[in-house]
Amino acid sequence: MSEPTLTERADAADVALASGRLSTAESVRGDVDSTVGVRPPGVPLLRRGWRQLTSMSTALVLLFLLALAAVPGSLLPQRTALNPVPVSSYYAEHPSLAPILDRMGLFDVYSSLWFYTIYGLLAVSLVGCLTPRLRLHAKAMRARPPAPPRNLSRLPVSTSFTVDAPPTEVAAAAHRLLRRGRWRTDRRTADEGASVAAEKGYLRESGNLLFHVALLGLLAAVAYGSLYSYRGQFSVIEGRGFTNAAPLYDIMPTGGQRLSADDLVPFTIALDDFRASYFDNGQPTDFHALVRWAPRVGEPERTRDIRVNHPLAVGGAKVYLMGHGFAPRFVVKDKGGKVVYDDYRIFLPQEGTNEVGVGVLKVPNGVRPQVGMEAAIFPTLTIDRTEGFFYSSSPEPKRPGLSYRIYQGDLRLGVSAQNDFSLDKRGLLPVKDGTLLPGETVTLDNGTTVTFAELREYAVFQTTRDPGARPALVASVCALAGLVASLFVRRRRVWVRATGTGGGTVVSVGGLARHDPDSFRPEFDDLAADLRRALGAAADRPTDPPQQHRTEE
Amino acid sequence: MPVDQGLAELSDNLLFVATLCYVVAMLGYAAEFAFGRRAPRTATALPPIAGGSVDTLPAGVGSGELSGRRTSRRSWAGGVGRASVAVTVLGWGLHVGSVVTRGLSVDRVPWGNMYEYSSVLALAAVSTFLFLLTRQPIRYLGALVMLPVVVQLGIASTALYAPAKPLIPALNSYWLKIHTSAAVLSSGIFMFAFAATVLYLVKDRSERRTGGSSRGALGHLPAAAAIDRVAYRTTAFAFPIWTFAVIAGAIWAGEAWGKYWQWDPKETWAFITWVVYAGYLHARATAGWKGRRAAIVGVVGFVALMFCYYGVNIWIPGLHSYADI
Ligand code: HEM
């Protein structure tokens, strides 16, 4: 990590000069450092505000605010989750507190105004900070490595020796050597000799800039996704199909403000078979939904096995397997034997019960009075003789059975609010209960019969489309790459100066490491030794032992 | 798939013995720290020449020639220190054995529930310590590294203990394995960095008070700046791994739930942890923040990390079926 001062002693001003611009961060780092050129007269306040906003310490404070702002969302129920029930139950439990929290946006933290404000300020701060840095860095990449300081022996690491070759030849050899080591080099000649300046590790700053730019990209991708994404849930019973259209969903697609019905990808999907496998202890091992699907109605169908963690991708949307359950088929006939009802009912699995599902049947037409039924389906119906209750001894449909209670009367459909999974019993009377195995029929007093005709499984799928996901992934990967470069690439400078004297050419070599000076020392020594060897210098008489000064890491 | 009970039991026993080793080593390191002799004066007065190097700074026990009595005390304490390293290595070997047998017993990666995860996290922290010890004299960090490791393992084997079991389908994913491996590795390194950060703060305070040369046991330690560098380097090493873990987690969430990020409590706290550690790295380059303030940010980062793990799994129910204690 670079830190601002390289030198602590005033007499090293030369070195300070040589180390200038090792990082463009320098010019934007301090809180009061100027970020961009000259200050135009007239708007000092704005200017100061802008500079404050784009300073590193403001970025830091905003980062902490962002972290802090995210906390309440993890402690309170959020509406952003697919399941809105927790918020309403929080309302029920804390009737006086909940409205206040709600007004503060605490049930929608991640889409609340104040969260967006922090996030927006960070984005602005990033843009303001990055623009001048990008410009400076672009310039630095094109600039020549800086001229050697007057006295190379003042540098943190240095050495010198004498050779017979003339200065220009020394410079040429040094140039070749450094090039081979992938240094950026610059050769200069002067009256008294020649010099080579070399620099390495620009990638560090490039990486740092890439990291920060990618963060901006990530913010943009997330924002874009939140405008154009959607998500919804639907169930398909074995042997049946589904067409992607809003009214057919169990949980309607919810998504960004910019979403219209036309945005739904028009695929069709049919479930041929659902298979669940379990360990002996009832713990599931895997779920398979074998489907036929087509990207749009009328196109040829393909088959696919959708599993947990293995979604089906259809035209920008993805279809996930989210759950499953049992759907018994009921046939209801009037006393004349005419079929008045024949359909599957989706039963909702109850947690921790070996997949026992509960559901209802409503038969409003064709029989008088209307018939309602509450039932539970047991995949492996087992009766506890001592206690006299039913349970399922396995989640697999080895011996399915239905326990039911039938009602007659008024279903109050269209009168009271009710869903597919509950009965409004205010107008109903219980008339019969018991158990049914597949194929069995129960006959009511007025001759109406109810048959548990068959048992199938159904699968619950979730469709999502998030056009921001891929850009977000690309941005994240760029950020990671930039981060690695920024943290691990090391910046170094080396100068070689050859000066002709009466007794031969004095070659002095000096180096400066901005990061990790410890590992630079051996690197530098190797380099100097290579140079010496390349010049055929007798390795015997270094005029100066390698010197080491304190450097900041 | 059945569980191999014999192997699972062996794993539990190995972990128990490994924990004992760590406890013994921790006490040893602490004894060396408390009774070891003062580092040579140059230890703290060294900076002008070799301040940039951690390697040139003596560890808890340096070499030096002092009175006979002190020398014998030094060698006594130094011997305890070296023995502690040996015991740590032994514990580490047993610990590796425990993790491997656990994995074999259920035929999957051995970090599928909190018990296993805690164990592997502690293993990562110890591994970081031992690895760095081969390159730098950082034995002085031993006690502070072993403390959270032992606490972690203690909690794992008691409150979080879970018998060996296969994974439920949602957790049985390629990306999840990558995600948890990266998360557990970076957490272990962060844990090591945390110990160094705390020690830096303590040493820094004492240096401030005494104007540079701390007395007493703290005088055995290298300069605060050198400890800070160890803390920084390990944090900077762990941070990209954590970043990768978060990205891999998001990819997994995308594959499993159809939404790569939905602010469930686990994700939220992973994000908070990331932001705070980013703040630490950022702070170290910000005027007015480097040094003590940055280190405090680093400590907060570790607290967030621990909450992300313990707090979220235990107190906050979420989508992560991980809370399978
Ligand atoms: C989204 C918010 C931000 C995050 C998460 C973030 C994170 C980081 C991280 C992790 C580093 C350390 C990596 C390294 O050493 O290269 C860093 C360095 C840096 N950041 Fe940021 N940053 C953010 C915003 C900003 C802003 C707004 C500025 C400008 C004011 C800024 C300027 C810098 C600079 C100059 C460095 C390099 C320090 C150096 O090593 O010389 N960052 N940032």
Side-chain angles (χ1 to χ4, degrees), chain A residues 1-3 23-26 28-29 53-60 63 66 121-130 133 204-205 207-208 211-212 215-216 219 482-483 485-487 515, chain B residues 232 239 274-275 277-279 281-283 285-286:
Chain A
M1 167 82 34
S2 53
E3 288 173 10
S23 154
T24 58
E26 248 147 50
V28 285
R29 179 180 294 121
L53 180 62
T54 57
S55 77
M56 279 190 72
S57 45
T58 303
L60 202 51
L63 269 178
L66 188 67
L121 282 174
L122 253 180
V124 173
S125 167
L126 263 170
V127 171
C129 158
L130 288 174
R133 284 181 64 199
R204 185 184 185 101
E205 183 70 5
N208 187 281
F211 169 71
H212 287 86
L215 285 186
L216 263 184
L219 293 184
L483 186 66
S486 172
L487 288 171
H515 314 103
Chain B
Y232 163 69
F239 184 70
W274 185 84
V275 167
Y277 274 118
L281 294 179
H282 199 96
T286 306

Side-chain angles (χ1 to χ4, degrees), chain A residues 412-435:
Chain A
R412 291 169 59 89
L413 291 180
V415 179
S416 65
Q418 48 183 296
N419 64 24
D420 266 4
F421 303 99
S422 68
L423 289 179
D424 178 347
K425 286 181 234 159
R426 278 172 293 181
L428 296 173
L429 276 177
V431 293
K432 198 141 203 164
D433 43 35
T435 58

Side-chain angles (χ1 to χ4, degrees), chain A residues 1-4 29-31 55-57 59-61 63-64 66-68 70-71 73-75 78 80-82 110 115 204 211-212 215 218 221-222 225 229 231 279 281 283-287 308-311 318 320-322 462 464-466 468-469 472-473 476-477 479-480 483-484 487-488 516-518 521 548-551 553, chain B residues 1-2 47-56 165-174 176 225 228-229 232-233 235-241 243-244 247 251-260 262-266 268-269 271-290 297 307 312 316:
Chain A
M1 167 82 34
S2 53
E3 288 173 10
R29 179 180 294 121
D31 295 350
S55 77
M56 279 190 72
S57 45
L60 202 51
V61 170
L63 269 178
F64 295 145
L66 188 67
L68 210 60
V71 173
S74 73
L75 306 175
Q78 297 294 299
T80 31
L82 194 58
Y110 309 108
F115 199 76
R204 185 184 185 101
F211 169 71
H212 287 86
L215 285 186
L218 183 62
V222 169
S229 65
R231 182 153 74 130
F279 291 117
N281 66 0
Q283 189 184 330
T285 52
D286 213 353
F287 302 118
V308 178
N309 291 335
H310 298 275
K318 281 187 173 176
Y320 295 82
L321 178 59
M322 295 300 282
Q462 175 173 297
T464 61
R465 192 180 72 121
D466 184 351
L473 179 63
S476 312
V477 171
L480 184 60
L483 186 66
V484 169
L487 288 171
F488 301 118
D516 198 7
D518 308 332
R521 237 163 259 143
Q548 301 181 343
H549 289 258
R550 167 168 173 74
T551 52
E553 191 184 335
Chain B
M1 205 266 333
I49 294 168
S53 160
V54 180
D55 315 54
T56 51
K165 228 166 61 172
L167 289 180
I168 62 172
L171 290 182
N172 199 357
S173 136
Y174 177 72
L176 182 67
D228 187 36
R229 255 186 311 265
Y232 163 69
R233 289 213 185 138
T235 309
F237 188 77
F239 184 70
I241 307 178
T243 308
F244 174 72
I247 296 172
I251 295 175
W252 171 53
E255 296 284 290
W257 307 323
K259 201 152 185 333
Y260 65 90
Q262 44 192 352
W263 295 107
D264 87 278
K266 195 85 181 174
T268 303
W269 278 92
F271 170 77
I272 293 170
T273 305
W274 185 84
V275 167
V276 177
Y277 274 118
Y280 167 81
L281 294 179
H282 199 96
R284 287 192 48 113
T286 306
W289 280 84
K290 56 182 67 106
V297 176
F307 190 82
V312 173
I316 308 177

